[in-house]
């Protein structure tokens, strides 16, 4: 469980084939103190919950299945790729964003970026099957970042990203057509399921 508040920007330093066909092993450099992080701990990597399988003073390794590589943009990571990191939520921690599970629902993309004062208005496009779960004033996790939706138009939705969030996450270097991992608000999923069940 996570909050969508990014705590570091990591960097991919090596990638190699994993133990199973189609899997991949990534080594990520981080500023987090790895001494306090156990083998087997979960870290959200650009919104995808991954398990630490090895670690050093300033790095950790994860193995990603072929399924996860295909269903997220992790398959596009290269040496030098920068990724958003968040350690798992502990009981008693401040819930500064919203509840994020680290289960990516699909891949969207950046379609526009418009400066607005000190912030930037981002417009994202979601896959058709996910767009119905995105609502104005609702929450969405984009590459693991908890953001509030400003407006929705069809498959597209807009959010304002303040300068702090740009500096503290990979959105500060975002480009048009860049893929992003999307996790919709779980409450929206349950409401949709209840409505569907009521029709049957």
């Amino acid at each position: 469980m996570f909050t969508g508040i990014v705590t570091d920007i990591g960097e991919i330093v090596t990638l190699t084939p994993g133990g199973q066909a189609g899997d991949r092993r990534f080594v990520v450099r981080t500023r987090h103190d790895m001494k306090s992080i156990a083998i087997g701990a979960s870290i959200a990597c650009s919104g995808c919950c991954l398990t630490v399988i090895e670690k050093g003073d300033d790095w950790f390794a994860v193995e990603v299945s072929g399924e996860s590589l295909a269903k997220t943009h992790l398959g596009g990571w290269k040496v030098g790729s920068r990724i958003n990191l968040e350690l798992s939520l502990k009981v008693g921690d401040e819930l500064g964003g919203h509840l994020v599970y680290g289960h990516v629902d699909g891949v969207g993309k950046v379609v526009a970026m418009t400066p607005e004062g000190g912030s930037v208005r981002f417009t994202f496009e979601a896959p058709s099957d996910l767009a119905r779960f995105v609502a104005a004033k609702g929450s969405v996790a984009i590459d693991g970042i908890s953001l509030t939706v400003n407006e929705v138009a069809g498959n597209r939705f807009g959010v304002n990203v303040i300068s702090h969030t740009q500096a503290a996450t990979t959105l500060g270097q975002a480009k048009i057509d860049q893929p992003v991992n999307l996790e919709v608000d779980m409450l929206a999923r349950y409401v949709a399921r209840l409505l569907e069940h009521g029709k049957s």
Side-chain angles (χ1 to χ4, degrees):
M1 190 80 75
F2 306 93
T3 68
I5 304 299
V6 172
T7 50
D8 186 26
I9 299 177
E11 181 181 348
I12 304 296
V13 290
T14 65
L15 59 93
T16 53
Q20 302 293 323
D23 293 358
R24 204 168 295 167
R25 182 181 188 272
F26 295 96
V27 173
V28 183
R29 181 178 292 123
T30 180
R31 292 177 299 174
H32 283 300
D33 178 9
M34 293 304 299
K35 292 185 183 69
S36 62
I37 298 171
I39 299 295
S42 296
I43 297 180
C45 298
S46 283
C48 190
C49 178
L50 300 176
T51 301
V52 175
I53 61 170
E54 193 179 349
K55 66 175 186 171
D57 290 340
D58 64 349
W59 62 272
F60 64 93
V62 295
E63 193 166 80
V64 183
S65 69
E67 172 79 3
S68 293
L69 293 171
K71 296 291 177 64
T72 68
H73 68 60
L74 278 64
W77 287 357
K78 303 178 175 68
V79 171
S81 292
R82 288 159 57 83
I83 62 174
N84 296 318
L85 301 178
E86 182 188 355
L87 304 181
S88 59
L89 185 64
K90 296 178 179 63
V91 174
D93 284 353
E94 179 182 352
L95 185 60
H98 72 282
L99 288 177
V100 175
Y101 293 83
H103 303 154
V104 174
D105 293 305
V107 179
K109 67 178 180 179
V110 179
V111 294
M113 295 182 293
T114 307
E116 289 188 356
S119 65
V120 175
R121 173 67 63 97
F122 278 75
T123 303
F124 298 95
E125 186 171 275
S128 298
D129 60 333
L130 289 183
R132 66 194 184 109
F133 297 114
V134 180
K137 307 306 177 189
S139 297
V140 65
I142 298 172
D143 276 349
I145 309 161
S146 174
L147 295 167
T148 300
V149 177
N150 285 344
E151 76 281 327
V152 178
N155 286 11
R156 296 187 173 189
F157 62 94
V159 301
N160 264 77
V161 179
I162 62 173
S163 57
H164 170 79
T165 303
Q166 292 171 58
T169 72
T170 56
L171 285 181
Q173 287 79 46
K175 296 178 174 61
I176 300 298
D177 290 329
Q178 175 180 312
V180 292
N181 290 325
L182 299 176
E183 181 183 329
V184 297
D185 187 20
M186 189 59 70
L187 180 59
R189 280 195 169 279
Y190 280 120
V191 169
R193 178 61 181 146
L194 287 168
L195 291 173
E196 287 168 4
H197 184 70
K199 292 176 183 176
S200 58

